[in-house]
Amino acid sequence: VCYQNASNYKDRMLPDAFRYVTKYKGLTGSDGEYNSEMTCITCHNPHQSVEITGSEHYNKKCASCHQTQVCTAPPGDLAAQNNNCVHCHMPPSSSTDIPHVTITDHNIRADNIRGMQRAGTSDPNPAFLGLEILTKPSGSPLELAKGYLALYDKYLPDPMLLDSVAFYLNKATGSDAELLKTRAHWLFNVGDMDALQHLAQSLAPDASIDAWSAYRIGEAYFQDREYEVAKQYYLIATEGLPLHLEFQEKLATTQMQTGEVKQAEERFRWILSENPKRPLTLCNLGYLKVRQRRFVEGEAFYDQALDLDPDYVQALLNKAAVRFQRNDAATGKVLLRRILAIDPNHPEAKPILEQFQ
């Protein structure tokens, strides 16, 4: 769980770290909650948005338990905050994963004053500090490495987090399978495809590889155009997670590259039976047909992809190629201009259009 500012879940937490798990979790760590039976609906009307609930409503809730004269804030500060209890004792913090969003600290304490005394800083919104596992006193290096990978994948794609993964991976111990999975994940995220291949080559022939690691290793070989090797890893990935359409897509694409056209088409059509609204699959199936010089069928698949996503650049580019192939340069140039309206510096559309101009 990432944390930013200050909330003290009693002795379990440090007072200078705002760990945002849930608002209820913050509330249960509040001083007041231990001496009352506070719940969410003590202050909130579940049928009315906080956006239209005035601050006076919440001030009255505070005053129902606390006498206003016990507030120790200097009169000037209190007036500056419009006598708003929440503004001082439940300060907001920025969110690391959603821009322009603030979250309210529901750990209500007498000393929770705008976060200004936290960790010796005058900044009410200090920067991200780190991760902590809340279900036990401390996490193992491997758990922390996996935590930073999850944070990078799902919320905050900052390369600095991958440095933290490397730091903890160097300290990690555990089962070979878990270490392999985490290291492969990290190498894939940092883009070190050569190291991924070396990792695969270092494995014993009978080593067990999970589906995601197999997929990532397959990607390393696919990018080097070693399609036969990539296909073997994609097969492991699809056997482990047969309903993962991205894995199936990459296997079908690789089969197309290795000349297994019938198997590739069957797999693409199976993917569409699972999800008919995948522009990528429609585009790939169209490309397969064009490679067979079945231009009308191929273009029909490109059109289906563009019906779902009119700005799908790859489908526009592929359709333009068909138009030029069929001596319809006028339509081809129109399609290239559409691409350049979406991406003015597209590396393929721009030189092709200049050539035909």
Side-chain angles (χ1 to χ4, degrees):
V1 178
C2 62
Y3 57 87
Q4 274 191 296
N5 275 354
S7 275
N8 179 16
Y9 302 147
K10 287 300 176 182
D11 296 334
R12 176 66 182 81
M13 302 291 183
L14 297 173
D16 59 349
F18 182 171
R19 296 165 174 81
Y20 185 71
V21 188
T22 66
K23 293 178 180 179
Y24 180 72
K25 179 68 176 176
L27 181 64
T28 57
S30 300
D31 293 336
E33 197 272 342
Y34 279 85
N35 301 308
S36 70
E37 295 181 357
M38 289 175 65
T39 66
C40 300
I41 60 175
T42 300
C43 300
H44 292 285
N45 180 344
H47 303 292
Q48 182 171 314
S49 169
V50 294
E51 298 295 331
I52 60 173
T53 305
S55 59
E56 189 55 33
H57 165 83
Y58 298 109
N59 280 345
K60 287 179 179 179
K61 294 293 183 181
C62 295
S64 66
C65 295
H66 301 282
Q67 297 298 316
T68 55
Q69 56 264 39
V70 302
C71 183
T72 59
D77 289 353
L78 193 59
Q81 304 302 337
N82 297 317
N83 297 316
N84 188 341
C85 306
V86 169
H87 201 70
C88 282
H89 297 281
M90 300 175 65
S93 172
S94 61
S95 168
T96 62
D97 55 331
I98 309 175
H100 315 301
V101 169
T102 59
I103 49 182
T104 302
D105 188 353
H106 277 62
N107 184 258
I108 310 164
R109 303 189 316 281
D111 62 351
N112 198 4
I113 308 297
R114 299 291 295 153
M116 301 301 283
Q117 292 84 31
R118 296 170 191 172
T121 178
S122 60
D123 183 358
N125 295 303
F128 172 74
L129 298 177
L131 298 183
E132 180 166 307
I133 295 177
L134 299 182
T135 55
K136 57 184 181 180
S138 62
S140 70
L142 183 57
E143 288 171 328
L144 287 167
K146 292 163 84 172
Y148 276 103
L149 281 169
L151 180 60
Y152 178 89
D153 285 343
K154 299 175 182 178
Y155 302 111
L156 193 66
D158 188 327
M160 177 180 67
L161 297 176
L162 298 178
D163 292 340
S164 296
V165 176
F167 174 81
Y168 286 110
L169 262 179
N170 287 334
K171 297 175 176 291
T173 58
S175 71
D176 291 341
E178 282 302 302
L179 287 171
L180 165 68
K181 182 176 181 180
T182 308
R183 187 165 294 278
H185 190 170
W186 170 67
L187 288 171
F188 183 82
N189 280 7
V190 298
D192 194 341
M193 298 304 173
D194 288 340
L196 255 179
Q197 290 184 28
H198 289 312
L199 178 66
Q201 292 161 9
S202 70
L203 297 175
D206 59 346
S208 176
I209 305 176
D210 67 283
W212 270 104
S213 296
Y215 166 76
R216 291 173 176 128
I217 293 170
E219 283 288 278
Y221 284 106
F222 186 91
Q223 290 185 21
D224 265 359
R225 301 188 179 187
E226 294 190 41
Y227 300 123
E228 286 291 350
V229 182
K231 184 176 67 177
Q232 300 310 312
Y233 285 102
Y234 289 142
L235 282 167
I236 295 172
T238 54
E239 287 169 4
L241 291 173
L243 296 179
H244 198 299
L245 299 188
E246 184 179 348
F247 294 177
Q248 295 285 356
E249 189 91 43
K250 292 310 296 261
L251 176 56
T253 303
T254 307
Q255 288 174 323
M256 183 166 56
Q257 295 290 349
T258 57
E260 298 169 81
V261 177
K262 180 180 178 181
Q263 294 91 326
E265 181 172 351
E266 288 175 354
R267 198 171 299 272
F268 282 136
R269 290 188 182 277
W270 177 84
I271 293 168
L272 289 174
S273 73
E274 292 292 307
N275 180 4
K277 296 184 178 181
R278 274 180 67 93
L280 173 62
T281 308
L282 290 163
C283 189
N284 279 330
L285 194 49
Y287 181 66
L288 184 147
K289 293 298 180 184
V290 168
R291 282 179 54 153
Q292 297 172 315
R293 303 191 67 79
R294 295 161 69 174
F295 298 118
V296 174
E297 290 181 68
E299 198 167 354
F301 282 116
Y302 294 150
D303 286 337
Q304 289 181 56
L306 290 168
D307 285 343
L308 294 168
D309 182 358
D311 292 337
Y312 188 19
V313 168
Q314 191 61 55
L316 289 169
L317 188 65
N318 288 7
K319 185 174 179 179
V322 172
R323 291 287 94 203
F324 288 123
Q325 186 79 19
R326 303 183 73 184
N327 298 315
D328 182 5
T331 303
K333 287 189 282 188
V334 170
L335 292 166
L336 292 176
R337 292 190 187 100
R338 278 181 62 184
I339 294 171
L340 292 173
I342 299 165
D343 180 0
N345 297 311
H346 191 276
E348 295 176 74
K350 194 171 184 178
I352 294 172
L353 184 60
E354 289 173 353
Q355 176 186 342
F356 278 93
Q357 297 287 33

